[in-house]
C-alpha cells in the first residue's frame, strides 16, 4: 500500500531590541551568548509582527518565563488532533478500542479543501488501516484523512467533555460565532489577554455561518505539562503520545534551529492565516515547554522565523547560562 511518509504570572523580561537580522529558514541570524537571558527579545519580535501571537514558555523548573495572549482564543487548526489523539488512546486503554482494529478509509475522509493529504492517497479509499497507523499518521504527519477516520470513533460532545476533564477550559470543539465572546470573557490588555478583543474578532471570522475549533496558548501549555509529567490520561497514554510526537516529521518551526541531538515532541497547526507549533524541548536531562501560535498572519516567512526563534529560546533554557558554549548558534 503506497503512502507518504493553573495560570502563572510571567517574570519581568528584558526589553532588548531585536532588529531586522532575525533568522529565517536557510539564513543566519543574530548570535546568542550563553550569558544572555534567552527570553530577552521575544516581546520585541512579537511587536514587529502584524499577526496575533500567543506564546507560553515554561522553563525546566516549571516556571512560566514568558507569556503573551495566553488566555486569548486561537483557531486551533490541527492542534485539535492532540485532544483527539489523547481521547482515542484513552479509549484504547479502557478497552473500547484496540490498536490492531482495522478502520475503513472512506471517501468523506478526503476533504477537497484540505488539499493533498500528508500520508494517505485517494486510491486507498475503501481499504482499511490499523488503528495504530491512523494514530501515528494523525500525530506525526498531521494527516487530515487519518484524523477524520479517528473522529468517526468518538463524538464532538465527548471531545468537549474530555477537554473539561483534563482542565482545558479554553478549548472548544465546534464553537459557534455567537458563543465565542462568552467563552473568553477576559479583559483586553490584561496579562495573558493582551489582544483578546482582536483575537475574538479574528476567530469569529472562521465561525461565520459554521463553527470553529478553538484553544488557547495557556491550554496548550497545560496539555504539554500533563504530557511531560506522564499525567495525560495515564503513564502509558503519555508514553505513546511522546513517541508519536517526537518523530520530527514536520521540522520547520520549533525544531528548525535546534541541534540534531535535541529531543522535540511537538505538534504543528496550519490554516490560511494560522501557524502554530506546541511542544516539549529536551536535551535528555531537562525539558522546557514551548507554545508558539499565530493567527491573522500576513507575512508567513517572518512568522516562521519568530516561531523558530522561540523554539531556540526553549532549548537555551535547558542549560545554565554560566556554562561555557552552552548555547548553539542560530
Amino acid at each position: 500500500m503506497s503512502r507518504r511518509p493553573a495560570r502563572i504570572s510571567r517574570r519581568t523580561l528584558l526589553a532588548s531590541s531585536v532588529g531586522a537580522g532575525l533568522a529565517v529558514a536557510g539564513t543566519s541570524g543574530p548570535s546568542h551568548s550563553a550569558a544572555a537571558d534567552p527570553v530577552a527579545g521575544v516581546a520585541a519580535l512579537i511587536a514587529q509582527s502584524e499577526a496575533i501571537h500567543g506564546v507560553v514558555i515554561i522553563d525546566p523548573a516549571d516556571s512560566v518565563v514568558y507569556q503573551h495572549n495566553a488566555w486569548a482564543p486561537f483557531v486551533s487548526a490541527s492542534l485539535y488532533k492532540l485532544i483527539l489523539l489523547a481521547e482515542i488512546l484513552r479509549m484504547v486503554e479502557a478497552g473500547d478500542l484496540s490498536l490492531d482494529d482495522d478502520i475503513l478509509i472512506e471517501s468523506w475522509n478526503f476533504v477537497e479543501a484540505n488539499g493533498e493529504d500528508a500520508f494517505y492517497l485517494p486510491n486507498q479509499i475503501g481499504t482499511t488501516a490499523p488503528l495504530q497507523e491512523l494514530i501515528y499518521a494523525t500525530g506525526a504527519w498531521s494527516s487530515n484523512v487519518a484524523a477524520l477516520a479517528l473522529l468517526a470513533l468518538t463524538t464532538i460532545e465527548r471531545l468537549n467533555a474530555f477537554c473539561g476533564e483534563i482542565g482545558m477550559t479554553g478549548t472548544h470543539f465546534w464553537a459557534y460565532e455567537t458563543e465565542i465572546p462568552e467563552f473568553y470573557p477576559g479583559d483586553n490588555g490584561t496579562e495573558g489577554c493582551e489582544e483578546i478583543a482582536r483575537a475574538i474578532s479574528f476567530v469569529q471570522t472562521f465561525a461565520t455561518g459554521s463553527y470553529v475549533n478553538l484553544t488557547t496558548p495557556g491550554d496548550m501549555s497545560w496539555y504539554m505539562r500533563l504530557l511531560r509529567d506522564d499525567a495525560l490520561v495515564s503513564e502509558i497514554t503519555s508514553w505513546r503520545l511522546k513517541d508519536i510526537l517526537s518523530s520530527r516529521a514536520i521540522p520547520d518551526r520549533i525544531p528548525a534551529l535546534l541541534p540534531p541531538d535535541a529531543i522535540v515532541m511537538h505538534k504543528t497547526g496550519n490554516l490560511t492565516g494560522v501557524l502554530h507549533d506546541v511542544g516539549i524541548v529536551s536535551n535528555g536531562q531537562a525539558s522546557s515547554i514551548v507554545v508558539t501560535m499565530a493567527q491573522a498572519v500576513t507575512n508567513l516567512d517572518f512568522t516562521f522565523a519568530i516561531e523558530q526563534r522561540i523554539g531556540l529560546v526553549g532549548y537555551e533554557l535547558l542549560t545554565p547560562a554560566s556554562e561555557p558554549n552552552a548555547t548553539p548558534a542560530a
Side-chain angles (χ1 to χ4, degrees), residues 229-240:
D229 297 340
D230 293 330
L232 186 59
V233 179
S234 68
E235 186 173 354
I236 185 62
T237 288
S238 298
W239 179 85
R240 285 169 170 160

Side-chain angles (χ1 to χ4, degrees), residues 18-329:
V18 178
L22 174 67
V24 295
T27 69
S28 59
S31 61
H32 294 258
S33 68
D37 183 343
V39 300
V42 173
L45 291 178
I46 291 172
Q48 295 177 52
S49 173
E50 294 182 357
I52 304 167
H53 290 269
V55 179
V56 178
I57 304 172
I58 299 175
D59 70 11
D62 202 34
S63 296
V64 176
V65 297
Y66 183 78
Q67 68 171 358
H68 179 77
N69 283 327
W71 309 109
F74 281 73
V75 176
S76 63
S78 286
L79 296 186
Y80 86 86
K81 295 168 185 172
L82 290 171
I83 306 301
L84 174 62
L85 288 168
E87 168 61 9
I88 293 297
L89 287 170
R90 183 201 65 79
M91 295 172 70
V92 169
E93 196 166 342
D96 300 324
L97 294 170
S98 168
L99 292 174
D100 295 326
D101 287 344
D102 287 323
I103 309 299
L104 181 65
I105 298 175
E106 302 186 64
S107 59
W108 66 268
N109 299 156
F110 289 82
V111 177
E112 185 176 354
N114 289 338
E116 186 177 6
D117 193 66
F119 197 86
Y120 291 102
L121 297 168
N123 63 11
Q124 293 172 252
I125 293 171
T127 66
T128 62
L131 180 63
Q132 184 166 5
E133 180 183 285
L134 292 170
I135 291 169
Y136 172 78
T138 299
W141 287 94
S142 203
S143 167
N144 292 312
V145 170
L148 289 175
L150 295 181
L151 274 172
L153 304 177
T154 184
T155 65
I156 296 301
E157 292 76 17
R158 175 58 205 151
L159 291 172
N160 278 322
F162 180 75
C163 289
E165 290 166 12
I166 63 174
M168 297 180 68
T169 57
T171 300
H172 303 278
F173 285 75
W174 286 21
Y176 289 88
E177 182 180 1
T178 55
E179 299 176 301
I180 293 171
E182 299 174 11
F183 288 151
Y184 305 96
D187 294 329
N188 198 50
T190 60
E191 187 174 51
C193 298
E194 289 83 357
E195 300 173 271
I196 194 167
R198 187 180 171 210
I200 288 173
S201 178
F202 179 82
V203 301
Q204 282 181 312
T205 65
F206 270 75
T208 301
S210 183
Y211 54 82
V212 63
N213 296 327
L214 300 174
T215 191
T216 67
D219 270 11
M220 282 292 109
S221 69
W222 178 245
Y223 182 102
M224 288 299 162
R225 268 179 157 146
L226 293 174
L227 184 62
R228 177 200 63 193
D229 297 340
D230 293 330
L232 186 59
V233 179
S234 68
E235 186 173 354
I236 185 62
T237 288
S238 298
W239 179 85
R240 285 169 170 160
L241 274 169
K242 285 179 179 178
D243 187 53
I244 293 164
L245 299 179
S246 62
S247 71
R248 284 210 193 194
I250 306 175
D252 57 9
R253 274 153 274 184
I254 289 175
L257 301 180
L258 307 190
D261 59 347
I263 302 165
V264 185
M265 294 158 275
H266 71 119
K267 180 73 189 73
T268 59
N270 300 348
L271 280 173
T272 301
V274 176
L275 196 70
H276 304 325
D277 202 2
V278 305
I280 301 167
V281 176
S282 174
N283 59 7
Q285 298 176 328
S287 63
S288 60
I289 291 171
V290 177
V291 173
T292 178
M293 301 170 65
Q295 59 190 13
V297 173
T298 57
N299 186 331
L300 194 60
D301 287 343
F302 189 63
T303 306
F304 265 111
I306 290 174
E307 297 193 347
Q308 291 168 3
R309 182 63 71 190
I310 291 171
L312 181 60
V313 167
Y315 186 80
E316 289 176 320
L317 290 170
L318 302 179
T319 308
S322 58
E323 183 177 328
N325 302 319
T327 305

